[in-house]
Amino acid sequence: MILALARASLVRQRARTLLAVVGVAISAAMLLDMVMLASGMRVSFGSLLLAQGFQIRLAPKGTLPFDTDATIPDASGIVQRLRARSDVIAVSPVLGAQLHVEHGTASVSAAALGTIAAVQGDYKLLEGELPAQDEEIAANDALLAAVGAHIGDTLRVAAGFDPQLRAYTGQRALRIVGRAHFIYLSAGERAMALPLATLQSMEGSSRTDRASLLMVRLRAGADVEAARAAIERDVRTVSAISTATAIEQVEQRLSYFRQLAFILGTVSLAVGFLLVTTLVTVSVNERLGEIAVLRAIGVRRVRIVEQILIEGSAIMLVGAFLGLGLGLVTARYLNSILAAFPGLPEAIDFFLFQPRDAWVALGLLAGCGILAGVYPAWRGASLPIAATLREEAVA
Amino acid sequence: MTAALLLIAALSVATQGIDSLPPRHSPRTVAIDERLAQDAGFRIGDTLVLAATPGGAGDTVIVSALVRRSRDPSEVAKGAYRIRVHLDALQPLVGYGDRVERFAVATRGAAGADSARRAIDEAAFGFRAYSSHEIAVESSTTFLVVSRFHRAIGVITIVASAVFLLCIMLLKVDERRRDVAALRLMGISARTIVRSVVLESALIATLGSVAGVGLGALVSAFVNWHYQRVYRTPLTFSLVTGEIVAIAVVLSLGLGLGAGWLAAQRLVRRPPLSLFGR
Amino acid sequence: MTGDEILVAARDLRRDYAMSAGVVHAVRGVTLDVRAREYVAIVGPSGCGKSTLLNLIGAIDAPSSGTLAIAGQRLDGLPDRDATLFRLRRIGFVFQRFYLMPVLTALENVELPMSEAGLGKTERRTRARELLAYVGLGERLHHRPTELSGGEQQRVAIARALANKPALLLADEPTGELDARTGEEMIALFERLNTDGTTIIVVTHDEDLARAAHRVVHMRDGLIVDDRRR
């Protein structure tokens, strides 16, 4: 019966309840988005880093992977030392460079990754073969489209230019053997993968036996942090970064978004809370007489509190459910805006939906809904019956 | 410090010296990032050894100046320190020979810049000339994205505010429906009632927006203080301009008028007796 | 009148209200006994304290001093929870302005106290139908208060007051909002209720309603000045 009363009270003022639900839905959508934003990047970046099973990355001392053009010397020696460790299964050295593909009279530049095909973790082969032999490459769709090439074609690719001789430097004829998707590159970025040795030789003496990054895959169950610390002690020219550290560092750089998520999430909750408190308080004030009569005919205080809390929570929950749907739509839109960040890997999602986020948002909103009803419920339950009835009669 | 960064540092023209000693010829002088000086405890006059690789052979240099990062948004999230080294000292240090990564060319006027750029592009092989504007556009992409993101969040906030305001106005008019019914029975016109409700709503919106501008200015000051500390940069992150204040007030007023009008319609469209609940 | 046991026993009952202008002594030492099956009308000028006395007897207000017992249960100093339970099980209230829940139908309004008392749905629905039929509204079970006339609303309020078979029915100006003809119907209904065994205390300005009672208590300035049985 109390439930019926609560429902009827909400239905009685349809326009008002509807507006409150819409208001809460917008707040809930914003809250969900902010919960997603707060954790999405971490989860998305973490799964991206672990996608190929490499738990540790070695970058030139004091830098983050591919953050600068710096390279690690004596790459092959370091790879051998790492492979000798009992807890290491595989080591993948990677050299990054900018290469230039001859295309008519001009050239098309593209990111190039020199890797060892058998252990690489930077790209996924979509079609064809891995570029395992010298002078073979796998290119992504953006590059193939830019130069109008297909698997089997040969491209003339240079490492640089000599303006005095007006000639390309480090130029080679490379055959496209595969079509690949590059995991860590941004959408639309032209890229190719080729054997590490090929790229090192094209780049000349400055890149001989050098790598931009070494990725290390550990045995299952190995202590990642212990391995990371040991490697850093052993190899003085590198900074060893575990996935957790990398996530932490990226988060530190993009802490703005986490803080923004916290602030906007709090504001959204506060707005929802205020909206529901205001609405329920006014609604209770309007029917103080009814409440006094309920009390007069023997309805217990706890029932009055229940009724009012149900009203607040119902607005919050209906709004929250609508808001969760709306939040997913707005999250997609906001994600599409942030996806345009230059240099951001295509697979990174700022707004990544996880069921946990929905539960967190729902829990916060439900808590807020209950809290929002506390003041009006207290007011309703504690009103003096006789005095209220007298005042109502006068009114 | 990497070769690339050092080169960029050496070529950068936008340095902002905040303290310096007269340059000396030998050993060569360098200017270091004030953040590096703070973190490592370096001071002007200190002697340092710069090397391209950790533990590698290096040059002995003297710190002759501390430089503060320019207000460049693209630099904000970068934690790396910068050292500004004389070009001819850096090239041998990093094995770049007689190479540079870019030239900055000063021209006479905007027209001169265009013709110089065309001439360079025609003569060049392996490099391209860009105007400062093009580079600015390229390097501010990140901030355009952030700006678009903020705009989208702003739109959501405005929609939420509109709903909130409308809700409050509905509550306010519902609260006084009996008074309004009495006024209407006394012969006060619907137009007068609408006008008074709209006026009240506009007043609430205006007062709210004034309070909001005040709060916004405080938040803005806090945001600048906080992020300038987090990113150790003099960059201004949040600006409350006259234009922004005007937009906020006009928008609030518009929303207030709209919400007031809608709420007032709810009052005047019902017969006075039904407002009494009869 | 009957020789039934004393249902209401009030001794030197007082109720003071602290107002900004000073203390108002609404009830200033009322002693009153009401026996079971009695039909008592409390009359007097406005502000004489009759409604306050009714509220005290109904346990919706607490006396400032004095003792009050209903059916042997002391009400003075009764904690709110016990007072609420007492009202639910032993008291039926009828108000001048009906105070039905506008969002519930007539049937649901009558069911409400039974639901609170924990009666099963079938049982309370059956009893609510019986009560509404008793007050002459068997055909208007599913109408909401706004769809009923004043007299009909008051009948629903009476049925609601009788829902938990109270020991005492209290009515505060039950004909105050009704026209003369509907008022007469209400008077007849009260007589029928009393004949059927309900103890009734009614506060009224309505002379016809007071005349219908078997005992009339006159109040003035918070005191009983006359108490006559017919």
Side-chain angles (χ1 to χ4, degrees):
Chain A
M1 197 57 88
I2 289 296
L3 204 64
L5 266 178
R7 189 188 63 81
S9 295
L10 291 173
V11 174
R12 180 156 47 166
Q13 297 285 356
R14 278 196 192 87
R16 194 195 278 184
T17 305
L18 192 69
L19 266 179
V21 167
V22 171
V24 170
I26 297 171
S27 296
M30 184 76 113
L31 179 67
L32 175 70
D33 289 352
M34 293 307 123
V35 173
M36 284 165 73
L37 178 62
S39 62
M41 219 167 27
R42 163 178 278 271
V43 175
S44 174
F45 189 60
S47 55
L48 185 69
L49 289 181
L50 289 171
Q52 302 297 90
F54 293 95
Q55 297 99 327
I56 296 174
R57 283 160 172 79
L58 309 183
K61 192 85 180 171
T63 70
L64 291 172
F66 287 113
D67 201 30
T68 68
D69 290 342
T71 51
I72 303 165
D74 186 26
S76 56
I78 296 172
V79 169
Q80 273 185 356
R81 272 154 71 189
L82 292 173
R83 279 185 183 149
R85 290 178 58 93
S86 60
D87 53 355
V88 171
I89 301 176
V91 181
S92 172
V94 187
L95 177 64
Q98 195 74 15
L99 295 183
H100 310 276
V101 182
E102 248 189 82
H103 182 54
T105 55
S107 69
V108 170
S109 61
L113 293 179
T115 61
I116 296 168
V119 289
Q120 68 79 25
D122 287 272
Y123 60 90
K124 282 182 180 164
L125 194 68
L126 302 175
E127 192 184 347
E129 292 167 19
L130 289 167
Q133 304 298 318
D134 189 24
E135 303 196 336
E136 285 183 349
I137 61 165
N140 71 356
D141 288 339
L143 177 58
L144 292 174
V147 297
H150 302 91
I151 292 177
D153 291 351
T154 297
L155 302 175
R156 292 196 60 78
V157 183
F161 307 91
D162 187 328
Q164 284 175 331
L165 296 174
R166 301 185 69 79
Y168 288 108
T169 58
Q171 194 171 42
R172 301 277 284 270
L174 303 177
R175 193 165 63 86
I176 305 169
V177 294
R179 188 167 70 86
H181 168 68
F182 289 80
I183 299 164
Y184 303 107
L185 297 185
S186 58
E189 189 174 351
R190 295 185 290 268
M192 66 179 96
L194 63 168
L196 177 63
T198 306
L199 185 58
Q200 283 171 336
S201 77
M202 285 172 75
E203 289 285 310
S205 59
S206 68
R207 292 292 185 268
T208 303
D209 199 19
R210 281 178 173 266
S212 307
L213 171 74
L214 298 167
M215 298 199 290
V216 180
R217 188 183 294 152
L218 299 177
R219 273 182 208 295
D223 183 340
V224 176
E225 190 45 40
R228 188 203 68 76
I231 291 170
E232 205 165 59
R233 270 197 310 276
D234 188 34
V235 187
R236 298 280 179 181
T237 50
V238 301
S239 286
I241 301 150
S242 66
T243 304
T245 320
I247 292 170
E248 214 169 277
Q249 283 170 337
V250 167
E251 276 213 329
Q252 216 170 353
R253 282 190 174 195
L254 298 175
S255 62
Y256 165 75
F257 287 101
R258 218 180 44 251
Q259 289 166 5
L260 182 81
F262 177 75
I263 293 167
L264 288 182
T266 309
V267 170
S268 304
L269 260 186
V271 167
F273 173 81
L274 279 179
L275 195 60
V276 176
T277 305
T278 310
L279 188 91
V280 178
T281 303
V282 171
S283 169
V284 165
N285 284 346
E286 276 176 351
R287 52 201 166 93
L288 288 179
E290 283 175 30
I291 293 168
V293 171
L294 285 175
R295 296 276 293 122
I297 63 173
V299 174
R300 285 168 295 160
R301 274 189 173 146
V302 66
R303 298 297 214 156
I304 304 292
V305 170
E306 267 174 26
Q307 184 194 335
I308 296 167
L309 289 185
I310 287 170
E311 282 178 44
S313 305
I315 292 174
M316 213 53 155
L317 282 177
V318 174
F321 276 110
L322 289 177
L324 293 186
L326 185 66
L328 290 177
V329 175
T330 48
R332 277 187 72 167
Y333 170 61
L334 293 174
N335 203 49
S336 72
I337 291 176
L338 292 182
F341 258 127
L344 189 76
E346 193 180 358
I348 287 277
D349 283 317
F350 279 81
F351 296 85
L352 185 71
F353 178 76
Q354 300 163 91
R356 190 183 143 275
D357 294 338
W359 287 117
V360 167
L362 209 58
L364 284 170
L365 287 163
C368 228
I370 292 169
L371 276 181
V374 165
Y375 168 69
W378 169 81
R379 184 167 160 69
S382 63
L383 54 87
I385 304 168
T388 308
L389 288 174
R390 198 166 48 243
E391 280 162 19
E392 278 294 304
V394 172
Chain B
M1 184 51 58
T2 70
L5 279 180
L6 284 169
L7 275 171
I8 290 165
L11 288 167
S12 178
V13 290
T15 61
Q16 188 185 355
I18 56 171
D19 199 0
S20 63
L21 284 175
R24 290 158 51 182
H25 291 293
S26 183
R28 301 300 297 270
T29 52
V30 294
I32 63 169
D33 198 320
E34 64 172 339
R35 295 171 303 148
L36 173 61
Q38 278 168 12
D39 295 349
F42 295 153
R43 286 185 303 184
I44 289 171
D46 283 357
T47 302
L48 309 176
V49 175
L50 288 187
T53 54
D59 273 357
T60 301
V61 294
I62 288 181
V63 178
S64 68
L66 302 183
V67 289
R68 178 171 293 160
R69 288 210 283 184
S70 60
R71 296 176 180 231
D72 181 356
S74 63
E75 292 284 309
V76 168
K78 291 183 179 164
Y81 302 122
R82 300 274 172 140
I83 297 181
R84 300 182 195 283
V85 185
H86 296 287
L87 177 61
D88 60 342
L90 181 61
Q91 284 170 329
L93 186 67
V94 296
Y96 258 45
D98 185 21
R99 295 162 71 90
V100 293
E101 289 198 341
R102 63 177 185 241
F103 294 99
V105 179
T107 59
R108 287 192 183 84
D114 283 344
S115 61
R117 192 159 64 104
R118 274 196 301 278
I120 291 169
D121 276 344
E122 279 165 17
F125 176 77
F127 60 92
R128 260 198 70 191
Y130 297 91
S131 69
S132 298
H133 175 71
E134 284 171 320
I135 292 170
V137 168
E138 182 70 22
S139 63
S140 61
T141 311
T142 304
F143 297 90
L144 288 176
V145 171
V146 172
S147 172
R148 273 202 294 274
F149 176 68
H150 284 170
R151 206 168 298 142
I153 296 275
V155 169
I156 297 173
T157 311
I158 289 166
V159 173
S161 308
V163 172
F164 195 93
L165 193 59
L166 187 55
C167 215
I168 296 289
M169 284 317 295
L170 276 189
L171 291 174
K172 285 192 81 70
V173 298
D174 273 358
E175 223 171 38
R176 72 176 75 151
R177 63 183 193 282
R178 289 182 186 189
D179 302 345
V180 169
L183 288 174
R184 291 206 52 209
L185 289 175
M186 283 160 55
I188 306 293
S189 71
R191 173 189 276 242
T192 307
I193 286 162
V194 169
R195 231 184 264 163
S196 76
V197 172
V198 168
L199 192 69
E200 179 185 333
S201 168
L203 201 65
I204 291 175
T206 309
L207 286 175
S209 65
V210 169
V213 166
L215 187 66
L218 280 177
V219 171
S220 170
F222 173 76
V223 163
N224 284 329
W225 172 79
H226 177 68
Y227 286 108
Q228 281 172 356
R229 280 183 56 204
V230 168
Y231 294 116
R232 303 172 79 178
T233 170
L235 187 74
T236 305
F237 288 80
S238 167
L239 268 179
V240 179
T241 62
E243 191 189 353
I244 291 170
V245 169
I247 289 173
V249 173
V250 168
L251 204 62
S252 302
L253 202 61
L255 286 177
L257 292 173
W261 187 82
L262 281 173
Q265 291 306 310
R266 197 170 143 83
L267 273 184
V268 297
R269 287 203 173 164
R270 287 172 65 185
L273 281 179
S274 86
L275 291 175
F276 270 127
R278 301 197 176 191
Chain C
M1 259 332 299
T2 69
D4 286 322
E5 78 279 9
I6 290 174
L7 188 66
V8 178
R11 298 286 175 271
D12 196 24
L13 215 51
R14 289 169 190 274
R15 182 64 172 105
D16 302 330
Y17 294 107
M19 313 291 270
S20 51
V23 177
V24 173
H25 305 285
V27 174
R28 302 193 298 158
V30 166
T31 296
L32 176 73
D33 285 342
V34 177
R35 293 178 181 280
R37 303 170 71 85
E38 257 191 309
Y39 181 1
V40 182
I42 303 175
V43 298
S46 291
C48 69
K50 51 189 190 298
S51 290
T52 305
L53 178 61
L54 197 76
N55 290 341
L56 293 175
I57 295 171
I60 62 174
D61 199 359
S64 304
S65 66
T67 63
L68 174 67
I70 307 231
Q73 161 90 55
R74 284 286 290 270
L75 294 189
D76 48 290
L78 197 65
D80 179 78
R81 176 189 284 214
D82 296 338
T84 304
L85 199 64
F86 181 80
R87 289 196 299 272
L88 180 69
R89 299 200 180 280
R90 310 307 303 269
I91 305 286
F93 261 108
V94 177
F95 304 95
Q96 177 178 355
R97 302 184 71 175
F98 329 131
Y99 287 136
L100 298 174
M101 297 298 118
V103 292
L104 302 181
T105 63
L107 194 67
E108 288 166 339
N109 264 289
V110 179
E111 277 186 64
L112 187 60
M114 292 187 269
S115 159
E116 181 65 11
L119 253 69
K121 189 168 183 176
T122 317
E123 197 181 344
R124 67 177 193 243
R125 186 135 291 194
T126 308
R127 179 156 169 77
R129 282 174 191 277
E130 284 169 8
L131 285 167
L132 284 168
Y134 179 81
V135 297
L137 283 179
E139 304 300 314
R140 317 214 59 177
L141 303 178
H142 302 292
H143 287 71
R144 290 185 195 280
T146 48
E147 297 158 352
L148 299 171
S149 70
E152 287 170 331
Q153 287 186 53
Q154 196 60 300
R155 284 165 191 272
V156 177
I158 291 169
R160 180 181 67 184
L162 298 172
N164 285 329
K165 300 177 184 163
L168 183 60
L169 181 69
L170 303 175
D172 192 356
E173 301 282 8
T175 57
E177 296 267 317
L178 307 176
D179 58 51
R181 201 174 66 83
T182 318
E184 280 170 20
E185 288 171 12
M186 208 52 57
I187 292 166
L189 180 57
F190 274 98
E191 283 186 298
R192 182 148 62 96
L193 282 169
N194 182 241
T195 309
D196 292 345
T198 308
T199 310
I200 301 173
I201 301 178
V202 60
V203 162
T204 185
H205 281 106
D206 185 340
E207 289 179 9
D208 293 335
L209 179 59
R211 248 196 311 275
H214 305 140
R215 181 179 168 193
V216 179
V217 174
H218 283 264
M219 283 188 75
R220 183 168 296 150
D221 296 334
L223 291 167
I224 292 175
V225 292
D226 190 27
D227 186 350
R228 285 187 198 175
R229 287 192 169 80
R230 290 180 229 232

